[in-house]
Amino acid sequence: MAAEQGSREGLHNGGGPLLTVFLFDRRLEESLCEEKSLRIRGGYQELRADVCETFGIRPSEAFVISTTNRKQLTDSNFNGIIKDGITLYILNRIDQLLSSSTQERINFLPHYDTLIKSGSYEYYASEGQNPLPFALAELIDNSLSATAKNCGIRSIQIRLLFDESQGKPAIAVIDNGKGMSSVQLKNWAVYRLSKFRRGSEVDRLDITAFIFGVCCAQYGQ
């Protein structure tokens, strides 16, 4: 396989180190969404040829290669989009609707405040009272904001989880809002800024209607 040959050489045609991309074939909903990796050995045409070989696609078949936020790969934007570890989707067309969620690789180092201080406001706002209602109110408010612009049904569920195999009992607030893109999630975790405080964000994760939101709350010290 051409991609494997490029891997052994260790360099692509541009002289730099080989990059690895991860792909999901989402052309057919009933197809298995198995992740496959490819090494970049050249430009867009080389990647398209390797995709055809790896996924058993005839070169004459019409398909597009897209990022998770629906940017179609072309010869002109290839170098500006392709990064090591990026997740790509194979679609019939760029506006193809997907009825189920898929995966995306996200790799970053969260800011320590995100891990340690998330929920501190709710804890201290309780002023010695049980902080759980304050934390729960924050999660519900997040879901209300996330579903405010839904075109269809607005769904917010509060679930009590008591599955010991999954850890301690927990309360989960689940909604069908748009949620965060991978870029927004990284910004929130690295800089500890919410998606609402960061203002406008052009890179929305529109590849599927089932996206997650993130909001942490700390119930006690």
Side-chain angles (χ1 to χ4, degrees):
M1 179 179 175
E4 292 176 348
Q5 180 180 355
S7 176
R8 289 193 297 270
E9 293 173 353
L11 298 174
H12 61 61
N13 291 345
L18 280 170
L19 306 179
T20 300
V21 298
F22 300 91
L23 297 104
F24 291 92
D25 186 355
R26 296 307 310 270
R27 292 173 300 156
L28 300 175
E29 283 302 317
E30 61 270 17
S31 63
L32 295 176
C33 288
E34 179 183 357
E35 179 188 68
K36 295 186 178 181
S37 63
L38 286 177
R39 291 294 185 93
I40 300 298
R41 61 184 180 89
Y44 171 72
Q45 295 301 328
E46 287 81 5
L47 175 61
R48 186 179 177 90
D50 290 344
V51 166
C52 288
E53 183 175 348
T54 301
F55 289 90
I57 304 173
R58 293 192 302 272
S60 58
E61 288 187 53
F63 68 91
V64 299
I65 304 174
S66 168
T67 65
T68 57
N69 56 1
R70 297 281 181 151
K71 288 184 179 179
Q72 182 176 345
L73 279 184
T74 63
D75 285 308
S76 60
N77 65 16
F78 182 84
N79 290 331
I81 290 178
I82 291 298
K83 299 178 181 179
D84 190 45
I86 191 174
T87 298
L88 301 172
Y89 298 148
I90 304 171
L91 305 172
N92 292 311
R93 59 185 186 280
I94 197 62
D95 60 347
Q96 176 183 337
L97 296 178
L98 302 179
S99 61
S100 62
S101 61
T102 188
Q103 303 177 42
E104 178 181 5
R105 286 176 174 261
I106 302 175
N107 183 23
F108 55 82
L109 181 65
H111 192 282
Y112 71 93
D113 277 352
T114 304
L115 303 176
I116 296 175
K117 296 184 179 180
S118 292
S120 295
Y121 171 78
E122 290 77 20
Y123 179 78
Y124 290 109
S126 64
E127 297 181 345
Q129 305 175 52
N130 183 357
L132 178 57
F134 292 85
L136 186 59
E138 171 68 17
L139 293 172
I140 295 174
D141 181 68
N142 180 71
S143 289
L144 289 172
S145 299
T147 58
K149 296 182 179 181
N150 280 18
C151 296
I153 297 175
R154 189 178 186 184
S155 173
I156 300 175
Q157 302 177 39
I158 301 176
R159 297 183 183 180
L160 303 180
L161 307 177
F162 298 99
D163 187 350
E164 295 183 357
S165 64
Q166 300 299 318
K168 296 181 179 180
I171 298 177
V173 179
I174 303 171
D175 63 68
N176 65 340
K178 194 167 188 177
M180 295 182 182
S181 71
S182 59
V183 173
Q184 290 172 316
L185 177 59
K186 180 177 181 179
N187 288 340
W188 174 83
V190 173
Y191 303 108
R192 197 170 176 262
L193 295 178
S194 73
K195 63 178 177 179
F196 308 109
R197 287 176 56 194
R198 290 197 64 81
S200 62
E201 170 60 68
V202 296
D203 287 333
R204 300 298 301 181
L205 185 55
D206 292 331
I207 202 71
T208 173
F210 184 75
I211 310 299
F212 60 91
V214 174
C215 181
C216 290
Q218 159 180 318
Y219 297 151
Q221 296 282 347

